[in-house]
């Protein structure tokens, strides 16, 4: 699979845009009609709390909470869709389910809400999958992600702050790593543009390389092959003027009265 595998499509922009827009619509509905969606979050080890596995990523406790999750969601979903478009829906679907399930198992007895668990899924998946492919573009993406969001790793440990669901973050991190290991990607390779990039390239048959010796010094090019003899036909046009006498006689006749 060469570089042509990465193609920009409208979904690279539309998917993250509508995903974040939906989060804001849910929050607006909650505030506008005075609903309490927090009760639909993940409540660990209770049958009723299982519904939060599906609903919790779309529920936020406040405008700051929602804003802090919106920007990473836009960036990471765009990267996921562009570089891993065939795995996009699998990563999102299984990421939401398993990160929520882990939170349900290990979480404190409280309602866990927010899209941060899914964000940790995306960060860990993009980082570890890029490193495992060893493909230069995906490795660069991994390094960019860890430079921007590397500080998030401290929020997977207990007691990082009041009201922060470190269990959801840890569940997302574990799920992202597992998905990166489980799902295989195509064998990426750089697009071949020149003859010398082919695996079976033979420098001895290259006219340009023949101008260098084994030490890399420039030498005279090999003598050119004899050109085929070019036959040409030469046409000779002879102009035979009139004799001087005839010209003079005509001149004399024309001068008579």
């Amino acid at each position: 699979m060469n570089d042509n595998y990465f193609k920009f499509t409208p979904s690279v922009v539309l998917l993250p845009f509508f995903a974040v827009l939906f989060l804001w619509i849910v929050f607006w509905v909650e505030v506008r009609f005075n609903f309490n969606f927090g009760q639909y979050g993940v409540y660990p080890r209770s049958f009723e709390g299982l519904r939060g596995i599906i609903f919790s990523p779309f529920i936020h406790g406040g405008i700051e909470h929602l804003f802090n999750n919106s920007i990473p969601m836009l960036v990471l979903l765009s990267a996921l869709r562009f570089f891993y478009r065939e795995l996009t829906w699998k990563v999102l679907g299984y990421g939401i389910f398993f990160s929520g399930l882990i939170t349900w198992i290990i979480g404190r007895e409280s309602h866990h809400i927010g899209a941060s668990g899914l964000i940790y899924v995306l960060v860990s998946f993009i980082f570890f999958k890029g490193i495992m492919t060893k493909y230069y573009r995906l490795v660069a993406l991994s390094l960019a992600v860890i430079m921007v969001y590397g500080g998030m790793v401290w929020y997977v440990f207990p007691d990082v702050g009041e009201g922060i669901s470190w269990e959801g973050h840890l569940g997302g991190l574990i799920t992202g790593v597992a998905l990166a290991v489980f799902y295989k990607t195509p064998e990426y390779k750089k697009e071949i543009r020149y003859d010398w990039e082919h695996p079976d390239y033979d420098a001895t048959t290259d006219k340009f390389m023949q101008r260098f010796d084994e030490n890399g010094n420039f030498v005279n090019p090999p003598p050119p092959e004899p050109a085929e003899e070019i036959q040409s036909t030469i046409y000779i046009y002879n102009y035979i003027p009139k004799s001087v006498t005839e010209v003079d006689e005509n001149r004399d006749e024309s001068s008579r009265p």
Side-chain angles (χ1 to χ4, degrees):
M1 188 66 70
N2 56 34
D3 283 349
N4 292 330
Y5 177 81
F6 306 111
K7 293 182 179 180
F8 179 84
T9 60
S11 62
V12 175
V13 175
L14 296 179
L15 175 61
F17 173 77
F18 283 112
V20 173
L21 178 62
F22 182 73
L23 298 182
W24 282 87
I25 291 176
V26 171
F27 181 76
W28 176 84
V29 170
E30 182 180 18
V31 174
R32 176 65 177 81
F33 298 100
N34 198 25
F35 291 142
N36 181 20
F37 289 157
Q39 60 182 331
Y40 294 99
V42 175
Y43 197 89
R45 296 171 297 280
S46 69
F47 180 78
E48 188 180 50
L50 286 172
R51 63 188 179 184
I53 294 176
I54 304 300
F55 297 138
S56 62
F58 310 103
I59 304 170
H60 293 82
I63 191 72
E64 182 179 0
H65 185 202
L66 176 58
F67 179 79
N68 290 337
N69 285 339
S70 296
I71 302 301
M73 186 69 71
L74 284 171
V75 175
L76 295 171
L77 272 182
S78 297
L80 178 70
R81 187 61 178 168
F82 182 77
F83 290 99
Y84 302 98
R85 69 174 182 269
E86 294 184 355
L87 298 177
T88 298
W89 299 110
K90 296 177 182 178
V91 171
L92 292 178
Y94 288 121
I96 291 174
F97 178 78
F98 285 108
S99 63
L101 182 61
I102 294 174
T103 304
W104 184 83
I105 295 173
I106 67 174
R108 293 163 289 177
E109 293 185 356
S110 178
H111 288 97
H112 299 255
I113 60 175
S116 55
L118 178 58
I119 291 174
Y120 273 81
V121 171
L122 298 177
V123 169
S124 60
F125 174 81
I126 292 174
F127 173 73
F128 288 103
K129 175 54 70 176
I131 297 299
M132 285 187 288
T133 60
K134 298 180 182 179
Y135 181 64
Y136 74 104
R137 295 186 69 177
L138 298 180
V139 171
L141 175 64
S142 298
L143 297 178
V145 167
I146 204 63
M147 287 178 62
V148 177
Y149 299 109
M152 294 171 57
V153 70
W154 301 111
Y155 293 93
V156 302
F157 299 105
D159 302 328
V160 293
E162 184 179 358
I164 296 178
S165 177
W166 64 267
E167 300 94 332
H169 299 168
L170 180 60
L173 178 65
I174 295 173
T175 302
V177 175
L179 293 175
V181 173
F182 180 78
Y183 283 114
K184 304 301 180 183
T185 53
E187 183 180 353
Y188 299 101
K189 61 182 180 180
K190 189 174 181 180
E191 183 179 4
I192 295 178
R193 299 182 179 180
Y194 306 101
D195 292 339
W196 53 267
E197 294 180 315
H198 287 275
D200 57 349
Y201 170 73
D202 185 6
T204 59
T205 61
D206 192 319
K207 296 297 183 181
F208 178 76
M209 296 302 297
Q210 290 176 359
R211 300 189 177 191
F212 299 88
D213 59 18
E214 61 277 4
N215 297 321
N217 299 318
F218 183 78
V219 296
N220 292 327
E225 299 179 358
E228 296 182 359
E229 183 179 356
I230 301 177
Q231 297 180 353
S232 61
T233 302
I234 301 176
Y235 295 95
I236 301 175
Y237 297 91
N238 294 324
Y239 173 72
I240 304 176
K242 296 180 180 180
S243 63
V244 176
T245 306
E246 183 178 358
V247 173
D248 292 341
E249 290 178 355
N250 292 336
R251 182 183 303 172
D252 294 339
E253 292 177 356
S254 60
S255 60
R256 294 175 184 177

